[in-house]
Amino acid sequence: MPTTALGNFRVLDLSSDIAGAYCTKLFADYGADVIKIENPGTGDPIRHMAPFFKDDPHIEKSLTFFYLNCNKRSLTLDLDTEAGRAVLLDLIVKSDAVICANPPDYLEKLGLGYECMERINKRLVLTTITPFGNFGPYREYLGSDLLYYAMSGMMYTSGAYSREPLKHGHPQSYYMGGITAAYSTLAALFSRNFTGVGQHVDLSLQECVAAHHYDSAARYSYTGTV
């Protein structure tokens, strides 16, 4: 028996942004075996993100990277090579979930889409985190924290009435997305334990922020305030 809440699970982290890294951090903090896949040479992009320890911009001194990736293991793989993809496929066979926060066609271009993963591990849960989801008219669009706030309507509810909309401080949309991805993946794993079959969880960062309007409609209906 595991001694931690999620000690039974192995999770592969293929993300390249805060949302995916925060999602897998939550898994790792609760005891899951999380393996972070990094690019050779440059490492994960978050390694280049400030602030740095003693203001030294070194890939081993990013405090953001340390916060988001504590309790994980790290593996360098060149997924543009056949050998790198072969190692990843071997890991997928032995894993419970894959978290991928990259452009919508990232896995397909590598020949590693959900259909491929499902063939070799039908129990696998794949969670993809993208700006606007894998389907729909905005599928190919790039995104940012500011865009998610503006297009979700969250900015409309922030700031003073007499001034323009105001975005919250801190890139909250990425952390909202990370939390949502974590509990959505856990729900899929819970279902898998009954059905024996995994699934693809398709998560849009813009929709995650829009979902935080859960109390706005009720507040406006009863008080007339935004």
Side-chain angles (χ1 to χ4, degrees), residues 164-186:
E164 65 276 1
L166 185 68
K167 193 191 84 65
H168 296 176
H170 190 64
Q172 291 186 25
S173 65
Y174 299 127
Y175 291 91
M176 290 178 187
I179 293 172
T180 307
Y183 67 65
S184 299
T185 304
L186 280 172

Side-chain angles (χ1 to χ4, degrees), residues 140-208:
E140 302 293 339
Y141 286 18
L142 299 177
S144 69
D145 186 52
L146 180 63
L147 277 175
Y148 306 142
Y149 264 87
M151 295 185 69
S152 69
M154 186 65 78
M155 276 178 61
Y156 179 73
T157 68
S158 302
Y161 279 100
S162 60
R163 300 188 62 182
E164 65 276 1
L166 185 68
K167 193 191 84 65
H168 296 176
H170 190 64
Q172 291 186 25
S173 65
Y174 299 127
Y175 291 91
M176 290 178 187
I179 293 172
T180 307
Y183 67 65
S184 299
T185 304
L186 280 172
L189 288 169
F190 182 76
S191 172
R192 192 244 1 224
N193 287 345
F194 289 95
T195 66
V197 178
Q199 59 182 286
H200 177 193
V201 178
D202 176 17
L203 189 138
S204 156
L205 288 171
Q206 183 263 335
E207 290 178 356
C208 286

Side-chain angles (χ1 to χ4, degrees), residues 32-53:
D33 177 20
V34 178
I35 302 176
K36 177 76 175 179
I37 307 298
E38 299 194 56
N39 297 322
T42 58
D44 185 83
I46 300 176
R47 287 185 180 274
H48 305 270
M49 187 178 294
F52 296 96
F53 179 65

Side-chain angles (χ1 to χ4, degrees), residues 47-194:
R47 287 185 180 274
H48 305 270
M49 187 178 294
F52 296 96
F53 179 65
K54 293 187 176 180
D55 294 324
D56 180 10
H58 190 278
I59 62 172
E60 297 291 351
K61 296 184 179 182
S62 168
L63 301 180
T64 304
F65 179 85
F66 287 151
Y67 169 71
L68 291 172
N69 293 283
C70 57
N71 295 326
K72 302 177 187 178
R73 296 194 287 166
S74 180
L75 177 65
T76 299
L77 281 182
D78 186 352
L79 297 181
D80 290 327
T81 67
E82 186 174 341
R85 291 191 295 271
V87 172
L88 179 62
L89 286 171
D90 186 56
L91 287 171
I92 288 171
V93 172
K94 304 170 185 175
S95 298
D96 298 283
V98 174
I99 310 298
C100 182
N102 284 290
D105 57 356
Y106 173 77
L107 291 174
E108 284 71 18
K109 286 182 177 179
L110 293 173
L112 298 172
Y114 178 64
E115 293 76 13
C116 171
M117 295 184 185
E118 185 182 28
R119 282 196 299 270
I120 62 174
N121 184 355
K122 71 174 185 177
R123 292 173 56 82
L124 184 80
V125 172
L126 169 66
T127 298
T128 53
I129 305 171
T130 57
F132 301 102
N134 283 283
F135 305 96
Y138 297 135
R139 177 182 185 273
E140 302 293 339
Y141 286 18
L142 299 177
S144 69
D145 186 52
L146 180 63
L147 277 175
Y148 306 142
Y149 264 87
M151 295 185 69
S152 69
M154 186 65 78
M155 276 178 61
Y156 179 73
T157 68
S158 302
Y161 279 100
S162 60
R163 300 188 62 182
E164 65 276 1
L166 185 68
K167 193 191 84 65
H168 296 176
H170 190 64
Q172 291 186 25
S173 65
Y174 299 127
Y175 291 91
M176 290 178 187
I179 293 172
T180 307
Y183 67 65
S184 299
T185 304
L186 280 172
L189 288 169
F190 182 76
S191 172
R192 192 244 1 224
N193 287 345
F194 289 95

